Amino acid sequence: MPSTMLNRTLRLHQSLQVRSLSSAKPQNRLPAAYYRGGTSRAIIFHQKNLPVDRYDWAPIFLGAIGSPDPNGRQLDGLGGGISSLSKICVVGPSTHPDADVDYTFAAIGVKNNDVDYSSNCGNMLSAIGPFAVDYGVVDPIEGETTVRIHNTNSGKIIHSTFPVIEGEAAAQGDFSIDGVAGTAAKIRLAFINPAGSKTGKLLPTGNVVDVFDGLEVSCVDAGNPCVFVQADSIGTKGTILPDELDSKPLILEALEQIRCKASVAMGISKTVEDTPSSIPKIAMVSKPCYHRLLSLSETSENDMDLIVRALSVGQPHRAIPITVSLAIAAAANIEGSVVSRCVSGERVNPDGITLSHPTGKMVVGAEFDKQGHLTNANVFRTARRLMDGLVYWK
């Protein structure tokens, strides 16, 4: 190559490099914390550190989590490639007279740029009280404290009670939950009047049983709107594990079609195409029986009242969303529902219904008044602060 042409090529390359550098800018950053809540993890922001206009939150959330990622791994952010690890929580002073803090939840799409505010996350809810204490949003009572949480997604109130040591939410304890290794401090979540979280009614369609695509389902709204179908009616065994279910696209598509049609019937969306990705939740239920868990450990029919396989944002859940468990506890007490038909006659645990999910069991309690109205639902979880500092996004 002649020297004049070589020099010209080098100058062009250098010019492009300078232009590229001149357009570069430092990464964006904001204070944030990273918590495990139940069987989920999420970035938690204090609302005061976010823009006033919620419209401006989406690019922050997507960038911090690492979405959208066509590879489904979210390696360029703090997400984990599955729905239970692709979450954002926002906590601030309460705007509700019966609460101490406001909590807003956002489900973040993994392969797409969805930022969905339509549902509550019960697992991450267990981290909201501890965050409020750890970052001075509330003044705790040493020993044990209760934080009254207003979930802005549903408008519902939840009381979170947990131990406090030297002004911080306790992390150490002797309570364990299936799906999370080790033990931690016990957190009691009491959902106050959880029925009608989105639709205003426990039975949004007015029916105990509806029929979609020729299959009987029960649509129940407690914690989150949910749709329940018996596993054998859709052509699979109730003990199927997440990876196997994920390899059955026809069953997943059938469940999605039912979910979308139920959304219209429940008044959540006007058309099946408008159905939010996060609600209604859908789960398959089946009668107690011997089966293996993800850990390869075995469980017998005497250890549970019901087997549940839930989906979240189209993905088979490796445990069970807390809000789905609340709706199941309610549905189990509704005579004739798809859920009540599968529940064992005598409860394994007198404190509530024992649900078997892919990683173990969960006990959920539900209380009804004399008129049969759901007044409260209780569940126990654990949570822990994993890190805090600055989160960066491009």
Side-chain angles (χ1 to χ4, degrees):
M1 178 183 294
S3 60
T4 55
M5 185 174 292
L6 177 62
N7 290 336
R8 189 178 304 146
T9 302
L10 288 172
R11 286 197 300 272
L12 176 61
H13 180 66
Q14 291 168 346
S15 175
L16 290 172
Q17 280 188 318
V18 170
R19 192 178 306 167
S20 176
L21 288 172
S22 65
S23 63
K25 60 180 181 179
Q27 289 196 78
N28 300 293
R29 67 203 72 190
L30 276 177
Y34 197 53
Y35 274 69
R36 176 186 63 79
T39 54
S40 293
R41 291 201 306 262
I43 302 171
I44 305 183
F45 291 99
H46 194 305
Q47 188 166 341
K48 69 180 182 182
N49 294 320
L50 290 172
V52 175
D53 190 343
R54 186 179 291 192
Y55 178 83
D56 296 325
W57 292 4
I60 299 172
F61 295 172
L62 290 166
I65 282 289
S67 291
D69 182 353
N71 300 303
R73 300 182 67 189
Q74 296 175 314
L75 286 176
D76 203 33
L78 289 174
I82 57 176
S83 63
S84 59
L85 304 178
S86 189
K87 301 180 174 185
I88 299 283
C89 303
V90 179
V91 180
S94 179
T95 57
H96 194 290
D98 296 328
D100 304 309
V101 299
D102 276 359
Y103 152 54
T104 301
F105 171 70
I108 310 301
V110 176
K111 293 185 177 182
N112 56 47
N113 58 3
D114 285 351
V115 178
D116 189 349
Y117 296 104
S118 61
S119 69
N120 180 16
C121 175
N123 269 299
M124 282 313 304
L125 183 59
S126 58
I128 302 308
F131 175 90
V133 166
D134 293 342
Y135 294 92
V137 187
V138 298
D139 294 322
I141 298 172
E142 192 72 13
E144 183 178 82
T145 200
T146 296
V147 177
R148 302 172 304 161
I149 301 166
H150 169 225
N151 174 238
T152 65
N153 307 81
S154 64
K156 295 295 183 177
I157 303 295
I158 304 95
H159 293 176
S160 176
T161 303
F162 51 92
V164 172
I165 298 176
E166 297 181 7
E168 290 189 0
Q172 296 180 332
D174 57 7
F175 185 70
S176 64
I177 60 174
D178 288 331
V180 178
T183 62
K186 180 189 283 189
I187 298 171
R188 177 179 181 266
L189 296 175
F191 293 76
I192 312 303
N193 296 318
S197 66
K198 207 72 179 177
T199 66
K201 295 182 289 186
L202 181 62
L203 297 173
T205 67
N207 305 316
V208 174
V209 173
D210 292 282
V211 178
F212 302 116
D213 294 340
L215 300 177
E216 291 189 327
V217 307
S218 289
C219 300
V220 180
D221 184 0
N224 266 327
C226 296
V227 189
F228 301 115
V229 59
Q230 290 187 5
D232 56 6
S233 72
I234 204 163
T236 189
K237 58 185 185 293
T239 57
I240 190 170
L241 292 174
D243 289 343
E244 183 183 356
L245 180 55
D246 213 19
S247 69
K248 296 184 179 293
L250 293 180
I251 290 178
L252 291 176
E253 178 59 26
L255 289 169
E256 180 63 8
Q257 289 297 320
I258 291 171
R259 190 185 78 86
C260 292
K261 290 176 181 178
S263 176
V264 176
M266 297 167 84
I268 295 170
S269 59
K270 292 184 178 180
T271 67
V272 294
E273 293 80 13
D274 296 332
T275 302
S277 59
S278 61
I279 59 168
K281 305 289 187 187
I282 189 164
M284 299 183 294
V285 295
S286 57
K287 294 181 179 181
C289 68
Y290 163 86
H291 62 279
R292 292 182 183 273
L293 304 174
L294 278 171
S295 62
L296 301 182
S297 60
E298 301 171 348
T299 183
S300 79
E301 62 182 299
N302 297 321
D303 295 332
M304 70 201 78
D305 297 313
L306 182 73
I307 300 173
V308 183
R309 295 294 183 260
L311 278 75
S312 179
V313 197
Q315 295 179 323
H317 205 286
R318 301 184 80 81
I320 180 173
I322 294 298
T323 51
V324 173
S325 72
L326 300 182
I328 287 176
N333 287 278
I334 301 173
E335 187 177 352
S337 74
V338 165
V339 175
S340 69
R341 298 174 192 174
C342 295
V343 176
S344 59
E346 187 174 339
R347 297 288 191 266
V348 171
N349 188 322
D351 291 333
I353 183 170
T354 303
L355 309 178
S356 176
H357 55 77
T359 52
K361 296 179 295 183
M362 179 191 297
V363 179
V364 186
E367 299 176 12
F368 294 79
D369 61 21
K370 293 180 179 179
Q371 288 73 42
H373 299 135
L374 180 63
T375 58
N376 162 353
N378 302 294
V379 67
F380 293 94
R381 305 307 278 162
T382 63
R384 186 169 79 86
R385 174 167 47 181
L386 303 178
M387 59 82 63
D388 60 17
L390 296 174
V391 66
Y392 292 81
W393 76 99
K394 293 184 285 189

